[in-house]
Amino acid sequence: MTALHWRTARELRLIAKIIPDPRHPGECLDQLADVRVAASGPVLYVDARRTGEDDGGPAEPEVYAIPSSSVIFLAFR
């Protein structure tokens, strides 16, 4: 995943709750703020942790691949 161009999204809105909430297991999100995203063709990769958030877990973040067509709104800093 290091070959992807990652950017910080100020706001990301999706058509449905499809991203697991890293702070509340079992719940999903349809809006995220200050998260890292990268696009490759029809796929958007999302690191659901907030920028600068230390989850105390492994060094590699858990990244979710979603269809770009599920994005309603995406704003960058």
Side-chain angles (χ1 to χ4, degrees):
M1 296 270 173
T2 57
L4 294 171
H5 178 71
W6 289 94
R7 294 186 61 186
T8 300
R10 187 187 80 221
E11 185 176 358
L12 172 63
R13 291 185 209 160
L14 307 170
I15 60 173
K17 294 183 177 189
I18 56 177
I19 301 287
D21 187 341
R23 291 169 292 284
H24 301 98
E27 294 183 25
C28 291
L29 303 169
D30 61 355
Q31 294 184 18
L32 298 101
D34 297 321
V35 294
R36 293 182 339 125
V37 297
S40 178
V43 178
L44 182 72
Y45 297 95
V46 179
D47 177 358
R49 295 179 303 167
R50 294 178 66 90
T51 302
E53 184 176 88
D54 181 14
D55 65 355
E60 271 302 306
E62 188 159 344
V63 174
Y64 301 98
I66 61 170
S68 296
S69 61
S70 65
V71 176
I72 295 173
F73 180 79
L74 177 60
F76 294 103
R77 292 179 178 244

